[in-house]
Amino acid sequence: MMNWARLPLFCLLTGLLGLTGCAARAPVPLYQLDNGSPALPKQGQGVAVLLGPVQVADYLQREALLQRQANGSLLAAHDGRWAGSLAGDIDQVLLRQLAWRLDSQRLVLAPSNANFNADVQVLLTISRFDSGPQLPAVLEAQWRLLDRAGRLRDSRLVRLEQPHQGSAADQVEAQSLLLRRLAEQLSIAIQPLSASQAAAAAAEPAKPSPAQARPRTPEKPRIPLVKPVRTDVEVFRF
């Protein structure tokens, strides 16, 4: 038979164990990058941009929210993780930001439809994209811009930093700001390239239509028709 003097202590231990179990089962916050709610572009026939392929470093291909430590190591955060694919979030933020800044609806993620003729293709490699409780958010990347003929027109290495307050939510917001700054730099680089290509296209002579381009067959010289001489005429001799 249970000693009634020990009952309060038993209840207290049971309650503590219950609270510990609830704490262990507490849901982990999920985070997504913020695209900044850019306005929708108004031009339906703006510059045509093919975004990608966008290559993201291998260490970022996971759901864990990585934390950069002072010694350079990376640890997975215990109080948060990415909601889905970080690489997919990066694609969508850049796409929306570029469409707004270029005021164009004609932006497509690679791989695109074969019928899509891009004025500019953006090749992007992100080699670092992380932060830490005591370290700023850092974005290191390289972009290359190709024209309609596939020729390299611009290439640049970038390193961007953004301070934050230290919490997981603040770090994610800082990383979102870094992507928006990257999109701003990309749009500034794309604009003169698209303008020069539009001017070159306007200066090209108009191509003749198929009917005009068809070579004319030289006319054959006309030979006058020779009328046959009548031979049935009677000849009278006197």
Side-chain angles (χ1 to χ4, degrees), residues 20-104:
T20 303
C22 292
R25 293 192 298 270
V28 178
L30 303 180
Y31 294 97
Q32 281 186 308
L33 296 172
D34 183 9
N35 62 21
S37 301
L40 291 176
K42 299 179 181 178
Q43 292 192 55
Q45 297 298 321
V47 58
V49 178
L50 177 61
L51 177 59
V54 178
Q55 298 180 348
V56 180
D58 291 340
Y59 81 95
L60 297 171
Q61 305 287 344
R62 62 191 68 204
E63 293 183 356
L65 185 64
L66 298 178
Q67 302 283 272
R68 179 78 62 173
Q69 306 302 308
N71 61 1
S73 63
L74 292 166
L75 296 177
H78 298 292
D79 56 346
R81 61 185 176 87
W82 296 111
S85 169
L86 175 59
D89 276 1
I90 291 173
D91 288 345
Q92 291 302 318
V93 170
L94 292 175
L95 186 71
R96 292 291 302 273
Q97 282 285 320
L98 285 175
W100 167 55
R101 294 181 183 278
L102 297 172
D103 193 17
S104 174

Side-chain angles (χ1 to χ4, degrees), residues 1 21 37 81 92 107 128 137 145 148 158 178 188 193 209 212 216-217 219 236:
M1 183 175 179
S37 301
R81 61 185 176 87
Q92 291 302 318
L107 274 83
R128 179 178 173 182
L145 302 183
R148 293 174 183 171
V158 296
L178 288 179
I188 293 174
L193 178 57
S209 63
Q212 295 174 339
R216 297 182 61 184
T217 304
E219 296 182 359
F236 296 91

Side-chain angles (χ1 to χ4, degrees), residues 3-218:
N3 190 340
W4 293 101
R6 296 180 180 178
L7 184 59
L9 179 60
F10 175 77
C11 294
L12 178 61
L13 291 175
T14 304
L16 289 175
L17 290 175
L19 291 175
T20 303
C22 292
R25 293 192 298 270
V28 178
L30 303 180
Y31 294 97
Q32 281 186 308
L33 296 172
D34 183 9
N35 62 21
S37 301
L40 291 176
K42 299 179 181 178
Q43 292 192 55
Q45 297 298 321
V47 58
V49 178
L50 177 61
L51 177 59
V54 178
Q55 298 180 348
V56 180
D58 291 340
Y59 81 95
L60 297 171
Q61 305 287 344
R62 62 191 68 204
E63 293 183 356
L65 185 64
L66 298 178
Q67 302 283 272
R68 179 78 62 173
Q69 306 302 308
N71 61 1
S73 63
L74 292 166
L75 296 177
H78 298 292
D79 56 346
R81 61 185 176 87
W82 296 111
S85 169
L86 175 59
D89 276 1
I90 291 173
D91 288 345
Q92 291 302 318
V93 170
L94 292 175
L95 186 71
R96 292 291 302 273
Q97 282 285 320
L98 285 175
W100 167 55
R101 294 181 183 278
L102 297 172
D103 193 17
S104 174
Q105 292 274 5
R106 300 200 298 163
L107 274 83
V108 174
L109 283 170
S112 67
N113 190 294
N115 296 327
F116 182 74
N117 297 318
D119 299 322
V120 181
Q121 182 176 5
V122 180
L123 303 178
L124 180 63
T125 301
I126 296 178
S127 56
R128 179 178 173 182
F129 189 52
D130 56 59
S131 63
Q134 306 298 328
L135 297 176
V138 175
L139 171 62
E140 294 180 355
Q142 180 190 26
W143 81 64
R144 290 175 293 160
L145 302 183
L146 308 182
D147 62 13
R148 293 174 183 171
R151 296 173 300 211
L152 180 64
R153 299 296 297 273
D154 193 6
S155 179
R156 196 172 307 175
L157 290 168
V158 296
R159 176 186 168 87
L160 304 173
E161 292 189 9
Q162 182 66 38
H164 54 78
Q165 298 299 317
S167 68
D170 290 332
Q171 292 181 57
V172 172
E173 179 59 27
Q175 289 176 278
S176 301
L177 289 173
L178 288 179
L179 276 182
R180 292 180 228 166
R181 288 169 56 187
L182 177 62
E184 180 182 12
Q185 292 190 11
L186 278 171
S187 65
I188 293 174
I190 290 172
Q191 286 172 353
L193 178 57
S194 61
S196 64
Q197 292 200 112
E204 291 180 358
K207 295 182 180 180
S209 63
Q212 295 174 339
R214 186 182 304 160
R216 297 182 61 184
T217 304

